[in-house]
Amino acid sequence: MNDSSDKPRGRFPATLHQVAPGAKPRPEPLRPQRLLQEAAQDARRLTVSSGLGLDNPAMRQRMVARLRAESVHCEPVLNAMLLVPRHQFVDSALATQAYEDTSLPIGLGQTISKPSVVSRMIEWSFLGERARQTGHLGRVLEIGTGCGYQTALLSQMATQVVSIERLKPLHELAVRHLTALQVPRCRLLYGDGMLGHPPQAPYDTIISAAGGEDVPAAWLAQLAVGGRLVAPARTPDGRGQVLVVIDRHAEGYHRSVGEMVQFVPLKSGVE
Ligand code: SAH
């Protein structure tokens, strides 16, 4: 079902930003499982081709200016992206690419999503009934913590974030990242996110960074009335992935479909 009446603004996915030409420093080979503190120390010493250090807020201001130009207009999302140091969530060897609009490997075959995709999904979450009324995302369930970058963003806009990751090393990586940055209002769980997390349901916002055949029934059951779910799911012809937006109203669920996307697979069980 495709409904344009409640369709969020803007194009999705946003156009790829063209990065400036020129070699970027690659101080050492990728080692995804390095300790954050080590990686963060290295990243601080690095500069990008503009000559700016990664800790310089101007790096994030440029990224946000590009997102605005690509029609992301949700101020809470843009403010959070100004605050959260994305370079501290990726390996130091990749840190100089952290403010480009690109997904980057975080280990175990997984990736941190592109800033344009993350910002668009959170912007769409803000268009849910309850979020529009309250101006925040309320209680959030995030599936696929990964390195914890999106969790850190969500924590700036939520009353609480419950985030689930099925790969233990990534769960532990996210714990280190979010602890080091003292990110508030987050509860990180190691488990199968397909089951959601009933003890803290219902959730005003459910957002998934991994895409399955369809949206699991457990997520629908755990979505609050007035809440909104944003997740990738397989297209009906099975050939690709599409972003699905589901709103829960007192009288039932309303599903709309956005544009094609490419997320890592949603898998059951834990590893
Ligand atoms: N937002 C994350 C993106 C990580 S990629 C970030 O900022 O880094 C998506 C993640 O979803 C992967 O880490 C993958 O392991 C995880 N995932 C896939 N299926 C899952 C499931 N059933 N439960 C929890 N996490 C899952």
Side-chain angles (χ1 to χ4, degrees):
M1 194 170 17
N2 195 332
D3 184 336
S4 55
S5 62
D6 195 23
K7 216 166 173 180
R9 293 160 297 171
R11 230 173 127 254
F12 191 90
T15 321
L16 260 181
H17 176 73
Q18 296 300 310
V19 297
K24 306 213 163 35
R26 279 182 173 269
E28 52 196 75
L30 172 63
R31 283 193 280 148
Q33 305 311 327
R34 290 184 68 202
L35 286 175
L36 167 77
Q37 291 90 331
E38 241 182 277
Q41 274 165 15
D42 286 354
R44 275 190 201 107
R45 290 197 291 271
L46 296 175
T47 56
V48 291
S49 48
S50 63
L52 289 174
L54 291 169
D55 276 337
N56 190 323
M59 293 300 300
R60 291 190 285 286
Q61 284 162 8
R62 285 178 183 189
M63 175 178 74
V64 164
R66 288 197 307 264
L67 292 171
R68 271 187 210 282
E70 289 165 6
S71 78
V72 176
H73 298 301
C74 184
E75 290 304 322
V77 181
L78 295 171
N79 286 338
M81 293 189 100
L82 282 175
L83 268 178
V84 177
R86 190 171 187 257
H87 66 282
Q88 293 192 27
F89 287 82
V90 298
D91 187 86
S92 63
L94 299 169
T96 55
Q97 297 173 56
Y99 296 106
E100 294 170 13
D101 193 23
T102 180
S103 56
L104 294 168
I106 54 173
L108 304 174
Q110 309 303 316
T111 53
I112 179 174
S113 310
K114 288 175 15 168
S116 58
V117 172
V118 173
S119 60
R120 190 71 71 199
M121 282 180 81
I122 304 177
E123 183 173 58
W124 286 22
S125 304
F126 259 103
L127 296 174
E129 186 184 325
R130 193 171 284 200
R132 279 201 311 258
Q133 282 165 1
T134 59
H136 58 73
L137 298 177
R139 200 200 316 259
V140 177
L141 173 67
E142 180 191 38
I143 296 95
T145 318
C147 66
Y149 174 67
Q150 181 173 270
T151 319
L153 293 175
L154 291 168
S155 79
Q156 303 299 314
M157 302 168 248
T159 51
Q160 201 198 2
V161 185
V162 175
S163 184
I164 312 178
E165 173 56 56
R166 66 180 290 277
L167 298 177
K168 192 149 204 201
L170 287 182
H171 163 73
E172 290 169 350
L173 183 72
V175 169
R176 289 200 296 275
H177 286 167
L178 298 176
T179 305
L181 290 168
Q182 298 186 325
V183 173
R185 298 179 288 279
C186 292
R187 178 140 189 242
L188 301 188
L189 303 174
Y190 166 55
D192 181 358
M194 285 182 80
L195 308 173
H197 185 62
Q200 284 178 267
Y203 300 95
D204 305 301
T205 303
I206 299 182
I207 188 161
S208 174
E213 287 305 310
D214 201 355
V215 172
W219 300 356
L220 296 179
Q222 291 170 37
L223 186 63
V225 172
R228 174 171 272 208
L229 179 158
V230 183
R234 192 153 293 288
T235 51
D237 67 6
R239 288 202 193 146
Q241 246 182 13
V242 77
L243 206 61
V244 172
V245 176
I246 297 176
D247 290 296
R248 184 170 189 178
H249 304 294
E251 56 286 353
Y253 297 90
H254 179 272
R255 180 180 177 123
S256 44
V257 173
E259 292 179 33
M260 302 288 288
V261 284
Q262 217 177 354
F263 280 81
V264 299
L266 179 73
K267 295 186 176 170
S268 60
V270 292
E271 285 175 35

